[in-house]
């Protein structure tokens, strides 16, 4: 199997690390070699969070180098643009259309950039915007937006739906499983042709 490189990027509190954990566990359950790393220095204060997930027959490094990501899964528009340079020329960008103001914008020191969507499209021919927040609201919990995005990317990865569902059932508290299974399905539907 070809090695797959995935970069996840978002803001602290969006569930980037849980989404990374789900991806990692699904690939491991499929019997693949998996490496994962994360950067979340200021994440508890609304700062950037990234996680690298790589899997295949044999993986030697946990990091996704610039220009080599097969997938960029962006949890927020600006964070997606900040990390778009990591996508391979034939890579795919899936991103949440949600906007979260960085602290400099919230404090009035800077303004939120214009034209983010157009700039994201400069980095990959295959870009898909997902209304993760809106779909999560449909299942009754905005915190499930991360699972919506996992559902979206799951449509492009070589793993059966049952594997994704089984990992959600193992990771999440029982009271959150059904809600997240619905969010996973909405994510899949959002990117279906």
């Amino acid at each position: 199997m070809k090695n797959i490189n995935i970069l996840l990027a978002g803001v602290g509190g969006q569930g980037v690390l849980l989404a990374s954990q789900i991806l990692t566990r699904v690939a491991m359950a499929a019997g693949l070699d998996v490496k994962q790393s994360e950067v979340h220095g200021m994440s508890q204060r609304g700062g950037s969070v990234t996680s690298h997930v790589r899997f295949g027959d044999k993986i030697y490094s946990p990091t996704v180098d610039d220009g080599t990501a097969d997938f960029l899964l962006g949890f927020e528009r600006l964070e997606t643009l900040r990390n778009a340079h990591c996508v391979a020329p034939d890579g795919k960008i899936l991103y949440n259309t949600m906007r979260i103001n960085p602290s400099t914008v919230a404090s009035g020191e800077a303004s939120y950039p214009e034209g983010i969507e157009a700039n994201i499209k400069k980095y990959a021919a295959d870009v898909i915007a997902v209304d993760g927040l809106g779909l999560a609201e449909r299942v009754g919990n905005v915190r499930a937006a991360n699972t919506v995005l996992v559902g979206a990317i799951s449509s492009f990865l070589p793993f059966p739906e049952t594997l994704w569902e089984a990992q959600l059932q193992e990771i999440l508290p029982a009271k959150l499983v059904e809600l997240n299974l619905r969010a996973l399905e909405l994510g899949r539907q959002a990117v279906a042709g």
Side-chain angles (χ1 to χ4, degrees):
M1 159 179 201
K2 173 189 178 288
N3 291 344
I4 304 290
N5 300 320
I6 302 172
L7 179 65
L8 298 89
V11 173
Q14 288 193 287
V16 173
L17 301 183
L18 178 59
S20 176
Q21 182 184 8
I22 294 167
L23 286 168
T24 300
R25 289 179 62 121
V26 167
M28 289 174 61
L32 297 174
D33 189 25
V34 183
K35 299 284 187 288
Q36 185 263 353
S37 68
E38 55 201 44
V39 177
H40 48 95
M42 295 297 285
S43 61
Q44 292 182 345
R45 296 181 183 204
S48 300
V49 177
T50 59
S51 181
H52 301 229
V53 176
R54 302 186 69 222
F55 55 82
D57 293 330
K58 187 64 184 166
I59 302 294
Y60 293 99
S61 168
T63 57
V64 177
D65 293 329
D66 290 354
T68 65
D70 298 293
F71 297 93
L72 169 60
L73 187 60
F75 289 68
E76 194 274 339
R77 291 184 295 168
L78 184 55
E79 292 303 320
T80 302
L81 180 58
R82 283 185 217 254
N83 292 281
H85 67 282
C86 294
V87 177
D90 61 344
K92 182 184 297 285
I93 298 175
L94 297 109
Y95 74 98
N96 188 357
T97 56
M98 181 178 188
R99 170 183 167 165
I100 297 176
N101 289 336
S103 61
T104 53
V105 172
S107 68
E109 297 174 34
S111 58
Y112 197 87
E114 298 292 327
I116 288 178
E117 289 82 5
N119 285 319
I120 290 171
K121 290 178 181 175
K122 293 177 182 175
Y123 289 91
D126 198 354
V127 177
I128 300 172
V130 177
D131 180 11
L133 180 62
L135 294 173
E137 286 173 343
R138 284 177 48 189
V139 301
N141 189 331
V142 296
R143 297 182 74 185
N146 61 342
T147 307
V148 169
L149 294 171
V150 170
I153 197 171
S154 75
S155 296
F156 303 101
L157 297 175
F159 307 119
E161 290 180 19
T162 54
L163 208 49
W164 295 94
E165 294 164 3
Q167 293 308 310
L168 283 178
Q169 290 169 352
E170 285 187 24
I171 293 172
L172 298 172
K175 66 181 180 182
L176 298 176
V177 169
E178 188 58 38
L179 178 150
N180 279 279
L181 289 174
R182 291 196 316 266
L184 188 75
E185 180 56 31
L186 287 177
R188 286 187 191 122
Q189 291 174 7
V191 298

